[in-house]
């Protein structure tokens, strides 16, 4: 613990740590800036970039890898300092978040608790158990509240599916929370910069 792995010759370093270090370095220093720059330089890319990022944040499994909240806040800043339209970026983020949660819900509904024993879901058992407890404590409200709490954002929809929440109740919480969540992540940084 605590060993920074910059090369295989670093004492106490394992190859897996090197790969993870390089992956996150690439993600934050190359990929995220490239994605934000793409949306900034060609305005037509604002919607698909926001859609991809929000979908990645909401879809179970992918959300543990991609720093989507960071990228969306950065897009909000870019909106504030450039001429990118807020509405297309916000719409992309809302639709991506809704679809990511909807698919996660469908996976839970279709495969029920069997999904917890399948890779990659079985690698996140602690997060899934916390999501189950949170969902059972808050019920349908957990779907809405979970959107604003990083650790629950991707696990609560799948847990809602496993728990067989009615589709209408799920979608009301899913859509309303996505609208507010995307607005806050994009509008607050944009307004602060302007």
């Amino acid at each position: 613990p605590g060993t920074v792995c910059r090369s295989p010759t670093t004492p106490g370093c394992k190859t897996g740590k090197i790969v993870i270090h390089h992956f996150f370095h690439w993600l934050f220093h190359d990929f995220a800036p490239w994605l934000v720059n793409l949306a900034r330089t060609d305005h037509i890319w604002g919607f698909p970039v926001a859609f991809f990022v929000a979908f990645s944040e909401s879809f179970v499994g992918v959300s543990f890898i991609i720093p989507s909240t960071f990228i969306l806040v950065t897009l909000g800043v870019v909106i504030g300092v450039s001429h990118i339209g807020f509405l297309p970026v916000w719409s992309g983020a809302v639709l991506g978040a809704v679809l990511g949660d909807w698919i996660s819900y469908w996976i839970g509904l279709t495969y029920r608790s069997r999904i917890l024993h399948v890779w990659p879901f079985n690698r996140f058992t602690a997060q899934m158990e916390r999501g189950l407890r949170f969902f059972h404590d808050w019920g349908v409200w957990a779907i809405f509240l979970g959107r604003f709490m990083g650790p629950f954002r991707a696990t609560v929809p799948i847990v809602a599916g496993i728990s067989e929440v009615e589709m209408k109740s799920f979608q009301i919480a899913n859509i309303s929370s996505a609208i507010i969540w995307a607005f806050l992540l994009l509008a607050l940084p944009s307004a602060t910069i302007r």
Side-chain angles (χ1 to χ4, degrees):
T3 303
V4 177
C5 299
R6 299 200 194 290
S7 75
T9 58
T10 304
C13 187
K14 296 182 178 162
T15 305
K17 287 183 180 179
I18 295 169
V19 170
I20 291 169
H21 171 77
H22 286 293
F23 173 74
F24 281 108
H25 183 272
W26 170 80
L27 203 59
F28 279 99
H29 296 282
D30 296 327
F31 180 69
W34 173 81
L35 207 55
V36 170
N37 195 38
L38 177 66
R40 185 182 56 134
T41 56
D42 194 350
H43 300 239
I44 195 77
W45 285 100
F47 179 92
V49 165
F51 178 90
F52 168 76
V53 170
F55 178 84
S56 300
E57 180 71 12
S58 299
F59 184 64
V60 66
V62 179
S63 64
F64 296 117
I65 300 170
I66 297 184
S68 302
T69 302
F70 167 76
I71 297 172
L72 286 172
V73 169
T74 305
L75 272 174
V77 170
V78 169
I79 290 169
V81 298
S82 68
H83 300 291
I84 296 177
F86 176 81
L87 191 58
V89 176
W90 174 75
S91 300
V94 169
L95 290 176
V98 167
L99 187 61
D101 273 11
W102 193 348
I103 292 173
S104 297
Y105 168 81
W106 177 84
I107 290 170
L109 190 62
T110 303
Y111 296 102
R112 309 270 193 261
S113 61
R114 294 185 314 260
I115 198 69
L116 301 175
H117 306 289
V118 176
W119 184 90
F121 305 103
N122 62 359
R123 304 201 31 98
F124 301 103
T125 54
Q127 290 91 335
M128 296 301 279
E129 287 174 14
R130 280 194 298 272
L132 278 164
R133 280 193 306 275
F134 182 70
F135 183 78
H136 289 294
D137 288 347
W138 289 91
V140 176
W141 278 101
I143 300 162
F144 184 89
L145 297 171
R147 171 88 64 196
F148 301 94
M149 305 168 120
F152 298 115
R153 191 170 299 122
T155 57
V156 167
I158 198 167
V159 167
I162 291 169
S163 302
E164 300 180 35
V165 169
E166 180 187 310
M167 173 69 82
K168 182 180 177 183
S169 299
F170 173 80
Q171 290 298 9
I172 289 170
N174 180 23
I175 294 168
S176 61
S177 65
I179 289 169
I180 296 167
W181 175 76
F183 182 82
L184 291 174
L185 286 178
L186 295 167
L188 291 180
S190 175
T192 304
I193 295 300
R194 287 186 181 179

